[in-house]
Amino acid sequence: MSTHDASPQHQTTATPGGANWHFDTMQTHAGASPAAGHGAHVTPIVASAGFTFDNVDHAASIFSMDTLDSFAYARAGNPTNAVVEQRLAALEGGAGAVLTASGQAATVLALLSIVRSGDHVVASSQIYGGTVGLLNDRFAELGISVSYVDEQNDGDAWRRAARPETRAFIAESISNPLCTVLDTRLVADVAHEIGVPLIVDNTLATPYLSRPLEHGADIVVHSTTKFLAGHGAVIGGAVIDGATFDFGREPEKWPALHTPSSPGEAGLWERFSPLRLAYLLRVRALLRDYGPSASPFNAFLLLLGIETLSLRMRQHVANAREVVAFLSEHPLVAAVHYAELPDSAWRAAAATYLPNGAGSVFSFELHGGIEAGKRFIAALKLFSHIANIGDVRSLAIQPASTTHSPLTESERASVGIPAGLIRLSIGIEDARDLLADLSAALDAAHTDTIARDTRKEAHA
Ligand SMILES: *Cc1c(COP(=O)(O)O)cnc(C)c1O
């Protein structure tokens, strides 16, 4: 008997039709069924905390997880979110998805579903600062340890970092601010050799630019707050499972998937791996128990965003390429970190994994250090000064004075964040206006004496 107020229900697989559709069709149709119920053409916001049962047997079958396609209580799932889950699963090529209240919650649930006290995680040191904080601070409090791999595309570095108690590898397909690109296949192969799943945070790439599950990753997480929702309006996250990792091979490593919830019952793996739902039902159980559920209002806005994902990403990438070309030629710019550039260490990985572009979040270094960077930010008129990425509007920030300000200059240098670094997230405006704004701000950044000296150096 369940002691919970709602079973982890409603976990259906991606729409069958979606498998045959092309990306642009999936992004506008997968998961939605306009004919269902009252015939609303747009997926409705279902604002209901609870859902009525047909009868007592129906209720019982939901709670015992014999019925998976009904809803009970919106903390564990609701019809609006279910459409978005199916659409994301279709776009990533996964078996299914679970929507969460934030990207951070998605990472928490993806990991805590299989990692417990005494376990260990290996992460790329390029990952998002919020994930680093989560692993270093919160997971340490739970007795979960972490090791970082500095050279994320060196398989031996991952091998060396792994321990008998390692339970997951985690990395990002594209990371910021330095626009590094993961060799997904290589790291996935090492993960599988070690016997753990590879979790890829695909936030910056989106499934339009990269589908990590096609390259050996087992689980994808997203901050849907960024390019997927696309308009900077709502926080959200998602866990998408490829259902490729064999949690049955070394069952002693995965007690969460093999321990029955009541004596005599089968564990999640035994019961649901034939449906490719074992891990996802575990994630949904954590969603129900920890409670970081996505509001259907936010899910609705996310769905609207997803419907134009490919159109926006094409414009984001085209604009980013124009800005990169402009900055690369500019005498006041010391370096540009974009994975498509000939001198980028990530160029080969970008060519393999990101044929449609290396995204629109990258950074560049200004001559004149932190002070020139401050003047540059202050002089921007069109770019917004904001700690976000993946908006239709172009954004800029100086990591040394904001996101990375707790670090000393030498600590920042060790993670590749020089004082003069500026991170840009290029939006979908007209590139000519973006270049004009950047050009004027660069000039303004270099109007004082220090900068004039630097300019001489730059020209020398
Ligand atoms: C923003 C972000 C997150 C966290 O997502 P939230 O929606 O802010 O909780 C995780 N990973 C990456 C790569 C991000 O950019």
Side-chain angles (χ1 to χ4, degrees):
M1 205 194 85
S2 176
T3 53
H4 298 295
D5 54 359
S7 73
Q9 85 290 49
H10 202 83
Q11 187 52 70
T12 48
T13 50
T15 309
N20 304 322
W21 286 330
H22 295 97
F23 194 93
D24 289 6
T25 310
M26 287 197 287
Q27 79 181 358
T28 39
H29 289 278
S33 42
H38 37 63
H41 191 214
V42 172
T43 297
I45 298 169
V46 179
S48 185
F51 299 87
T52 52
F53 305 118
D54 298 344
N55 51 55
V56 173
D57 288 341
H58 179 225
S61 76
I62 293 173
F63 278 76
S64 64
M65 299 205 299
D66 291 323
T67 295
L68 294 174
D69 60 354
S70 295
F71 302 95
Y73 188 64
R75 178 153 27 82
N78 78 69
T80 309
N81 296 20
V83 172
V84 189
E85 286 164 352
Q86 289 179 41
R87 190 157 306 177
L88 284 171
L91 293 177
E92 287 285 4
V98 171
L99 221 53
T100 58
S102 67
Q104 202 68 8
T107 305
V108 170
L109 296 196
L111 283 167
L112 287 188
S113 289
I114 48 172
V115 178
R116 58 174 61 189
S117 180
D119 290 345
H120 174 250
V121 173
V122 185
S124 162
S125 59
Q126 308 294 331
I127 52 171
Y128 171 67
T131 311
V132 173
L134 171 71
L135 295 172
N136 287 359
D137 303 337
R138 301 293 85 80
F139 275 31
E141 289 168 2
L142 298 177
I144 297 163
S145 55
V146 57
S147 300
Y148 292 97
V149 167
D150 290 337
E151 299 293 332
Q152 68 170 17
N153 290 350
D154 174 356
D156 280 334
W158 289 88
R159 239 175 241 114
R160 279 194 303 273
R163 303 178 191 164
E165 61 273 23
T166 302
R167 292 294 177 270
F169 282 8
I170 183 164
E172 291 174 12
S173 45
I174 306 176
S175 77
N176 89 84
L178 296 175
C179 198
T180 70
V181 180
L182 186 70
D183 188 337
T184 310
R185 174 63 62 186
L186 179 129
V187 178
D189 285 349
V190 178
H192 299 154
E193 178 191 310
I194 303 296
V196 301
L198 171 63
I199 301 174
V200 172
D201 183 330
N202 199 29
T203 297
L204 269 71
T206 80
Y208 179 69
L209 296 179
S210 160
R211 282 177 295 284
L213 300 178
E214 290 177 0
H215 301 289
D218 301 286
I219 296 153
V220 162
V221 294
H222 274 286
S223 167
T224 62
T225 311
K226 317 293 167 53
F227 294 99
L228 279 171
H231 298 76
V234 277
I235 299 280
V239 182
I240 298 125
D241 183 25
T244 43
F245 188 79
D246 185 2
F247 290 103
R249 203 178 65 166
E250 296 176 274
E252 67 285 356
K253 282 168 75 170
W254 317 106
L257 291 166
H258 292 279
T259 311
S261 49
S262 328
E265 270 184 19
L268 282 176
W269 181 259
E270 195 186 328
R271 229 180 131 188
F272 295 107
S273 62
L275 297 172
R276 305 175 73 213
L277 293 175
Y279 172 82
L280 278 173
L281 284 168
R282 169 73 182 160
V283 173
R284 200 172 289 280
L286 266 63
L287 179 73
R288 174 201 63 197
D289 295 341
Y290 288 122
S293 317
S295 144
F297 292 89
N298 289 3
F300 176 83
L301 289 174
L302 171 56
L303 196 60
L304 285 186
I306 291 172
E307 288 175 359
T308 57
L309 177 65
S310 64
L311 285 76
R312 287 184 288 106
M313 291 312 288
R314 288 195 281 267
Q315 179 82 352
H316 278 295
V317 167
N319 279 352
R321 286 173 173 162
E322 288 211 37
V323 171
V324 165
F326 167 80
L327 292 174
S328 301
E329 295 290 305
H330 202 286
L332 302 176
V333 172
V336 181
H337 299 279
Y338 190 62
E340 292 181 356
L341 286 170
D343 63 349
S344 170
W346 313 100
R347 193 179 193 213
T352 304
Y353 296 103
L354 302 164
N356 294 326
S360 85
V361 179
F362 60 93
S363 54
F364 70 98
E365 288 167 44
L366 272 172
H367 288 298
I370 197 160
E371 292 308 319
K374 284 182 183 167
R375 288 190 297 272
F376 170 82
I377 294 282
L380 288 168
K381 292 199 165 63
L382 178 56
F383 279 71
S384 314
H385 181 207
I386 189 168
N388 191 19
I389 53 172
D391 193 313
V392 288
R393 288 153 284 257
S394 289
L395 321 172
I397 199 163
Q398 180 179 48
S401 61
T402 56
T403 52
H404 291 70
S405 60
L407 306 186
T408 66
E409 183 145 0
S410 70
E411 281 172 332
R412 279 196 298 269
S414 74
V415 291
I417 313 285
L421 196 78
I422 302 288
R423 181 184 76 189
L424 300 178
S425 175
I426 303 299
I428 62 170
E429 304 95 332
D430 190 308
R432 290 170 295 188
D433 298 324
L434 299 177
L435 299 189
D437 196 39
L438 291 169
S439 182
L442 282 165
D443 288 344
H446 286 268
T447 45
D448 80 351
T449 324
I450 307 162
R452 271 198 298 277
D453 290 344
T454 315
R455 191 194 305 234
K456 272 183 224 136
E457 276 165 33
H459 284 292

